[in-house]
Amino acid sequence: MFYWNDSLTDVILPDGLISIGDYMFSGCSALTHIILPDSLQSIGYEAFIGCSSLTAITIPASVVKIGAYSFVYCDNLTHIDTAPENTVYASIDGVLFDIEQKMLVAYPSGRLDTTYQVPHGVLSIGVAAFNGCDSLTNITFPDSLTSIGEGAFEQCDSLTSITLPDSLASIGDWAFFECSSLTEITLPDGLVSIGDWAFGGCGSLTNITLPDNITSIGEGAFSDCSSLTGIIWPDGITSVGDWTFKSCASLTEMTLPDGITSIGKWVFQECSSLISITLPDGIIYIGEGAFYECSSLTGIILPDGITSIGNWMFWECSSLTEIILPDGITSIGNWVFQGCSSLTHITLPDSITFIGKGAFSDCISLTNATLPDSIAFIGDEAFKGCGDDLILTVSEGSYAAQYVKENGLPYTLGSDWLN
C-alpha cells in the first residue's frame, strides 16, 4: 500500500504483478508518472483517487477490470490510454471506454475542454465517469444513451445546463451531486427512476419538471437545491423519499399529486421559505422530522389517513398558527411542536392515546388545548416553556388530569377553575 504518500513521485511496478488493490495509490498527490506491467489484470476501487499530479496513464493489454472511482480527483490527468491489444477497454482521444464503446468508463478530469460530445452508440455513462470534471460547461448526449451511473457528473462545478435524450431510462445515485452551476435540466419522457441524492447540492437549479413515466425518486434527490422554487409532479409518483427537498430554501409552496401515499423522513427539513403545502387525501404515512424548521409554514391540514405524527415533525415551525389533526390520530411523537412559537391553540382528537416528550415545549403563544380522556401517556416536559396564559382542559379522573396536577400545569374542568 502506498496510499496518502505525498512524497511518491515515480513508480515502476514489477513484472508479474497481477492486481492493484483498492485504494493502493489513493491520495498520492505528488505521483506524476507510473508504469503498469504487462502482467496486470485488475485495478482496484479508488486505486488512483486523488493522484492530483498524475498527467497520463496507459492501461496494459492484460487488464480486464478497472474498479469504480479509480481516477477521480486526478486533477491534472489529461489522457487515459490503452494498449491496442486490450480486449476489454479502448481509448478514444484519451477517454476510456469499454471495447465495444457502449460504456464511457472515465473522462480525464484534468482536461480543460469546456464541451464534450459523447459518441453515438454509447448506452451508458459509467460510475463516476466525469466526476470532478470542473472545466466542462456543456455535454451533448447521443440518442442511444439509456443510463447514467452513480456519481457520473458529481462535482462538475461548471456544468450549466443539460438536455438528456429521450432514450434515457435511469439516473443513478449522486449522478449530478453538487453540480453547483447547473441552472436547468431537461428530463426525458422515458425516464423512470432518479437515484438517491441525484441532484443534491445543485444550488443554482431553479425548477424541474418530472416526466410522466417516472415512478421512483431516491432519497435526497433534490436536497440542498437552495434556488429551487418549484417542481411539476407526474401522476405516477406514489411516494416521496427521505430528505428529498431538505434545505430547499427558496421553495415557497408545494402541492403533492393525488397518487402519493407516503412522505419520507426529513423530506422538507429546513425549507425555510415554505409557506404552504397541500397534501393529498391518500397519504397514510409522513416520516419523522418531515417539516423540521420550516420556519415560514403558517398552516397545514393533515389527511384523514394519518394515524401518528412522528418525532420532530414540526420542530421550530415558528410561523405555524394553525394545524388541523384528523380524527384517527393516536399518537404525537417526541418534540413534534417544539418551538412552534406562533401556535395559539390546538384541538386534539378523541383518538389520541400518546403525547411524547417535549411535544409542545416552547410553544410560547399556546393559550389553550383540550386533552381528551383517551390519552394514556404524556411524556416529560410536554408543555415545558409554554406561556403563562396556557390553560389545559381535562376531565376529572382522567390520566390527563393526573398529569397536569403532578406537573403543576394550569388547567380547568370544563369552565371551572380548580387550580
Side-chain angles (χ1 to χ4, degrees), residues 70-81:
S70 287
F71 305 107
V72 171
Y73 304 132
C74 293
D75 297 336
N76 286 292
L77 186 66
T78 59
H79 280 77
I80 305 172
D81 296 315

Side-chain angles (χ1 to χ4, degrees), residues 43-266:
I43 297 173
Y45 177 80
E46 294 190 1
F48 297 99
I49 190 171
C51 291
S52 55
S53 298
L54 192 65
T55 59
I57 193 168
T58 299
I59 309 299
S62 52
V63 171
V64 296
K65 181 181 178 182
I66 300 175
Y69 295 88
S70 287
F71 305 107
V72 171
Y73 304 132
C74 293
D75 297 336
N76 286 292
L77 186 66
T78 59
H79 280 77
I80 305 172
D81 296 315
T82 58
E85 300 83 11
N86 192 294
T87 60
V88 177
Y89 296 100
S91 179
I92 302 175
D93 190 27
V95 180
L96 187 64
F97 294 82
D98 72 316
I99 192 65
E100 295 180 345
Q101 298 172 29
K102 301 296 185 183
M103 175 187 286
L104 193 156
V105 178
Y107 181 95
S109 56
R111 293 199 168 197
L112 299 179
D113 299 330
T114 58
T115 62
Y116 181 72
Q117 182 168 343
V118 178
H120 181 72
V122 170
L123 300 178
S124 63
I125 306 296
V127 173
F130 290 87
N131 192 306
C133 294
D134 55 10
S135 293
L136 286 170
T137 61
N138 183 265
I139 298 174
T140 304
F141 298 98
D143 291 338
S144 54
L145 189 69
T146 60
S147 67
I148 294 176
E150 173 187 307
F153 298 95
E154 183 175 346
Q155 295 183 338
C156 288
D157 295 338
S158 299
L159 204 59
T160 57
S161 66
I162 283 183
T163 299
L164 298 172
D166 291 338
S167 53
L168 187 69
S170 66
I171 297 175
D173 300 343
W174 304 289
F176 295 93
F177 186 75
E178 293 189 349
C179 288
S180 57
S181 298
L182 188 65
T183 58
E184 60 179 319
I185 185 165
T186 302
L187 300 178
D189 290 339
L191 189 68
V192 296
S193 67
I194 296 175
D196 297 344
W197 313 97
F199 296 96
C202 292
S204 299
L205 191 65
T206 57
N207 60 75
I208 196 160
T209 300
L210 298 175
D212 290 338
N213 291 322
I214 202 159
T215 58
S216 173
I217 298 176
E219 65 181 34
F222 302 101
S223 68
D224 296 287
C225 290
S226 56
S227 299
L228 189 68
T229 58
I231 187 165
I232 298 177
W233 295 89
D235 293 333
I237 293 290
T238 59
S239 65
V240 183
D242 301 344
W243 300 287
T244 298
F245 297 101
K246 173 189 169 293
S247 298
C248 289
S250 297
L251 201 62
T252 58
E253 60 182 273
M254 177 72 72
T255 299
L256 298 179
D258 289 339
I260 288 181
T261 59
S262 69
I263 296 175
K265 298 180 294 185
W266 313 100

